[in-house]
Amino acid sequence: MLVLKIIGVLVGLFLLAMFVSSMNNYTQKKYRYEIFNWYNLAAAGIGYGFMLFGKNWYLEAVNKSGDILNGIILISIGVIIIGLVVFNNVQKTSLKFGLLFSVVQLALYIPASVIAFYGLLAAAAFFAQTKPVYSINGR
């Protein structure tokens, strides 16, 4: 049964990749803009991060009877960043297409942002352990 689950996940990921690729091909031909790109992923990831940390900060302040404004400000910044991604998509495409596929894009970017965040942490940990090599003989 585990093998079937693994095959199902791989087939699902393949179909998702085909969907993203076909949407990018369509929008590239029609609007000269790829709706799924690295800049939107980075902006959405930053926006989701602000919203997540803002929510955590807000809930911690509510539990401790502290200042809730910090959490609200972080959540607002995250919503503005996500709104800018949607605005950019609508501006580069049509209103209907931009809104519809912004919803799809942002739903797909939630797990992609988490994976990208852990990838950045792994890269930072790897490069933090890299040390320069010195030549004692002067060569």
Side-chain angles (χ1 to χ4, degrees), residues 133-139:
V133 176
Y134 298 102
S135 176
I136 296 175
N137 296 331
R139 292 185 198 185

Side-chain angles (χ1 to χ4, degrees), residues 1-10:
M1 191 68 180
L2 178 64
V3 174
L4 289 177
K5 288 180 185 178
I6 292 171
I7 291 172
V9 167
L10 291 176

Side-chain angles (χ1 to χ4, degrees), residues 7-8 11 25 57 61 68 139:
I7 291 172
V11 168
N25 288 338
W57 200 337
I68 62 171
R139 292 185 198 185

Side-chain angles (χ1 to χ4, degrees), residues 24-128:
N24 275 345
N25 288 338
Y26 174 76
T27 57
Q28 184 65 32
K29 286 179 187 175
K30 185 161 184 172
Y31 301 108
R32 291 189 178 142
Y33 171 70
E34 290 184 346
I35 199 145
F36 294 98
N37 58 39
W38 291 107
Y39 300 111
N40 284 342
L41 174 62
I46 291 169
Y48 287 141
F50 270 104
M51 291 190 318
L52 175 70
F53 292 122
K55 182 192 86 150
N56 291 342
W57 200 337
Y58 175 80
L59 292 176
E60 184 178 324
V62 166
N63 290 335
K64 294 181 179 179
S65 298
D67 185 17
I68 62 171
L69 186 59
N70 295 327
I72 293 172
I73 290 172
L74 285 179
I75 293 170
S76 300
I77 291 171
V79 168
I80 289 170
I81 292 171
I82 296 294
L84 289 174
V85 170
V86 173
F87 177 75
N88 185 37
N89 288 339
V90 169
Q91 186 180 19
K92 303 278 180 159
T93 62
S94 65
L95 177 68
K96 185 173 87 171
F97 187 85
L99 286 177
L100 176 68
F101 280 96
S102 290
V103 171
V104 174
Q105 175 190 43
L106 292 174
L108 291 176
Y109 281 174
I110 291 171
S113 297
V114 173
I115 293 168
F117 177 72
Y118 285 122
L120 285 174
L121 285 179
F126 174 76
F127 288 116

